[in-house]
Amino acid sequence: MPELPEVEVVRAGLAPAVTGATILGVEVFEPRSLKRHDPVAGAFETLLTGRVMEEPARRGKFLWIPLQGSPRRAIVAHLGMSGQILLREPGWDEAGLLRIRLHIETAATLPGDHRELWVHFVDQRIFGSMAVDSLVPTTDGAPAGLGTDEPLIPTQVSHIARDPLDPAFDDAGFFAALARKNSGIKRVLLDQTVISGVGNIYADEALWAARIHYEQPASSLSRARARALLAEVRHVLEKALAEGGTSFDAQYVNVNGNSGYFAHSLNAYGQDGKPCPRCGTPIVRERFINRSSHFCPRCQRLRAPRP
């Protein structure tokens, strides 16, 4: 599933093309891709046609494009398991996987310098979605996420905690939340109401880097170890972002259809049976909820809670 770095790569790639662009028309080829759109607010196509888009924003794995005008609304995109948002030249064929198409006219950087583009929402498994949603004030009054200066967030995203790359992320609040949680630290890292954007891949990588077992009770971490873990979470996410995200197959691509390279830098995730890059002990894979955890049994020992 696309995680924070993959979604941020998409957001940054969309920004130059869609910021200030006008939506000329909308085509919906798969109604299931509108499952999170509330038709009571109006038809998806009607709410978008003629509107001007602002710079895309992101919190955790959620991406939205604010729309100019009143009432304040935004296009909210969730990529699900296999969703892609691609910028295409008119006439491009997506081989039967196209679910939604936006016809846009880019903003002019020079007088008369307009250009028509297609924004494609492609989704093989149809777990992702697009919706038009209302913008509401953030609870802390800070800008809602990366890419926006406005303290406005879509209602569908308002329950999601800030992610660790957000300038408004509350480190002290995060450490306090850990101290209250007796569940395993990986469960807490995946809890979108505590911290957003840290999916399975990057949780395994950050825990490996911090030498913490995935089942270590969150409340048992000292403040120093909690700080070290948060630093490693940020480092892993920033490194993945710099390498364009993690791509295991053709489903994980940026807006131009190119793959990321962080999969070549993984130390723990997907490395079961291979030697730990730090100590040489084989990496172990264990079942975790409905997925897997990868860790080094020597470097990441489960420690008894402090008395």
Side-chain angles (χ1 to χ4, degrees):
M1 177 178 290
E3 300 182 15
L4 183 156
E6 291 76 46
V7 179
E8 176 58 22
V9 166
V10 172
R11 187 204 69 78
L14 283 175
V18 306
T19 304
T22 301
I23 301 173
L24 303 177
V26 180
E27 296 175 276
V28 177
F29 303 101
E30 176 50 74
R32 287 177 293 174
S33 294
L34 296 180
K35 54 182 167 285
R36 293 182 178 89
H37 176 74
D38 182 4
V40 174
F44 182 78
E45 300 91 330
T46 303
L47 292 174
L48 291 182
T49 303
R51 298 293 293 270
V52 175
M53 296 183 284
E54 298 178 353
E55 182 176 353
R58 179 196 55 74
R59 178 182 289 197
K61 306 173 192 178
F62 284 84
L63 171 72
W64 68 93
I65 306 174
L67 302 169
Q68 290 183 9
S70 181
R72 293 310 310 275
R73 291 187 170 121
I75 306 169
V76 180
H78 192 278
L79 301 183
M81 294 290 290
S82 59
Q84 303 170 359
I85 301 177
L86 304 168
L87 293 173
R88 299 303 198 190
E89 294 289 342
W92 190 284
D93 182 15
E94 299 292 356
L97 298 179
L98 179 61
R99 310 308 179 194
I100 299 171
R101 174 188 288 144
L102 306 182
H103 297 251
I104 70 170
E105 183 178 68
T106 61
T109 55
L110 295 171
D113 183 24
H114 294 279
R115 180 185 177 200
E116 185 175 347
L117 285 176
W118 287 352
V119 179
H120 283 182
F121 183 68
V122 174
D123 190 3
Q124 179 176 338
R125 300 186 184 181
I126 320 182
F127 291 157
S129 67
M130 276 189 161
V132 178
D133 193 17
S134 297
L135 293 171
V136 297
T138 56
T139 56
D140 57 9
L146 252 60
T148 180
D149 294 326
E150 287 190 309
L152 296 174
I153 190 166
T155 62
Q156 296 182 19
V157 190
S158 60
H159 67 290
I160 300 296
R162 291 186 180 275
D163 65 67
L165 299 188
D166 188 326
F169 183 84
D170 182 1
D171 289 21
F174 174 67
F175 299 143
L178 293 190
R180 296 191 298 267
K181 301 282 187 179
N182 292 321
S183 50
I185 183 59
K186 183 173 177 179
R187 287 177 181 266
V188 178
L189 290 177
L190 298 182
D191 184 345
Q192 300 291 292
T193 65
V194 176
I195 183 173
S196 67
V198 186
N200 202 44
I201 296 172
Y202 301 114
D204 279 359
E205 289 299 299
L207 289 168
W208 178 87
R211 300 175 183 245
I212 298 173
H213 193 282
Y214 72 95
E215 288 285 16
Q216 188 71 38
S219 60
S220 72
L221 297 180
S222 67
R223 181 56 64 93
R225 295 198 83 201
R227 273 199 203 94
L229 174 59
L230 182 57
E232 293 296 353
V233 167
R234 286 182 169 133
H235 176 72
V236 166
L237 292 175
E238 288 166 352
K239 190 171 188 294
L241 184 55
E243 296 185 22
T246 305
S247 298
F248 295 108
D249 56 38
Q251 292 179 358
Y252 304 102
V253 296
N254 63 19
V255 296
N256 297 314
N258 298 320
S259 299
Y261 295 97
F262 191 69
H264 302 294
S265 303
L266 295 172
N267 293 302
Y269 184 86
Q271 306 303 302
D272 42 305
K274 296 180 182 178
C276 169
R278 193 163 43 215
C279 73
T281 303
I283 296 292
V284 171
R285 174 187 178 187
E286 291 184 352
R287 292 184 63 83
F288 174 78
I289 314 178
N290 59 344
R291 53 194 96 179
S292 299
S293 276
H294 305 79
F295 67 101
C296 172
R298 182 176 180 184
C299 295
Q300 298 170 259
R301 293 175 181 170
L302 188 59
R303 302 170 184 264
R306 292 168 295 165

